[in-house]
Amino acid sequence: MSLLDLDAVPRTLLIPLAARAHGHRLFPWLDCQDVEAESLLSCLQESSQPLLEDRIAVLNVLWRTRVLKSWGASFFKTHPLGTGVTLGAGLSHHFQWLDTGGNHWVDADLLPVHALRERLIHFTGGRHANRAIDLRQMGWWQAVTSGLPQQPYWVLCEGVLMYFTPEQVFEVIHAFAESAPVGSRLVLDAISHLGVGQARHSLSVSRTGAEFQWGLQDTQELLAIHPRLRLSAHRSVAECYGWLGWAAETTWMPWTGAPLYSMVMLEAA
Ligand SMILES: C[S@@+](CC[C@H](N)C(=O)[O-])C[C@H]1O[C@@H](n2cnc3c(N)ncnc32)[C@H](O)[C@@H]1O
């Protein structure tokens, strides 16, 4: 199985992988110190150079990695036996940073990517699992969580939902809210709705043939999906650009509705 055998959206997994492996050359202050990404890239025999030319995507990935590491660390400090889940995991390996010594972790993705993970990433110990799921199918929550402790979950879905239709995004978030134990978190990233249909302008995504189908009009719309949902945290990539970023975002907000790129953490109350 090579990346060329994958469909357009699964092929996008190379973009964040390349950013985590080599993005520190462009943005050293955002170095995420991913110990796996570089060797995974060499196993795939894929050149990351063209992807690194998309500096915006590299910045977005490294920034979101810093945010999710910080949110994940504070969650697992409170819930050291909580379970971590990455939905649409690609070839990410966040358990390297968020292993408390007692928690479980599940990396879930479509069957072809799951097969790639099984072949390339080797875990020792019994607290990690790869699972094959399709987030567009009913029952994915049960497939991900069966046999796991009923502790609060920390669920990460990064670089995935912008490729789903709005109805599919609704269903994914709704399924989390329906089933997750109280105190669980769902962390996701989102583009502004202005980015929908604009993948041709992205140097890296346009190479894959994937298209952006969902973007936020307003962060608050996520809370309307289910009465259990609360906004636990929210960050905009504008923070990487200093006061100029904030000024530009404030000016654009009436049109963009939501930040051009943001991270949101929802809590199941
Ligand atoms: C841009 S990659 C992100 C990978 C990973 N989250 C990361 O940041 O490195 C998008 C991922 O979403 C996965 N994906 C797309 N549609 C999916 C679906 N219906 N169910 C599960 N995973 C899906 C793809 O296979 C791919 O691994």
Side-chain angles (χ1 to χ4, degrees), residues 9-10 12-13 16-17 20 64 86-92 94 108-110 113 133-136 158-160 163-164:
V9 176
T12 60
L13 66 82
L17 186 66
R20 288 189 297 265
R64 87 178 180 220
T86 311
L87 301 173
L91 291 177
S92 65
H94 296 339
D109 207 306
L110 294 165
V113 177
I133 58 153
D134 185 338
L135 287 165
R136 296 162 301 187
E158 54 164 346
V160 180
Y163 302 109
F164 281 25

Side-chain angles (χ1 to χ4, degrees), residues 236-254:
S236 163
V237 76
E239 67 190 44
C240 287
Y241 299 89
W243 69 267
L244 257 179
W246 289 117
E249 185 162 282
T250 309
T251 313
W252 294 331
M253 218 50 153

Side-chain angles (χ1 to χ4, degrees), residues 148-227:
L148 291 170
Q150 276 303 298
Q151 295 279 337
Y153 288 90
W154 191 79
V155 182
L156 172 64
C157 191
E158 54 164 346
V160 180
L161 296 179
M162 59 281 286
Y163 302 109
F164 281 25
T165 64
E167 295 73 25
Q168 290 166 339
V169 172
F170 180 96
E171 291 299 336
V172 169
I173 298 174
H174 192 268
F176 162 83
E178 274 289 291
S179 308
V182 172
S184 299
R185 306 288 201 281
L186 174 63
V187 174
L188 57 95
D189 59 342
I191 61 170
S192 154
H193 67 101
L194 291 184
V196 172
Q198 303 296 325
R200 65 186 179 283
H201 298 301
S202 159
L203 284 179
S204 49
V205 178
S206 59
R207 296 163 55 90
T208 65
E211 184 52 275
F212 300 131
Q213 299 197 75
W214 173 75
L216 272 179
Q217 304 256 3
D218 174 355
T219 306
Q220 297 295 321
E221 77 196 37
L222 297 170
L223 304 183
I225 292 175
H226 198 283

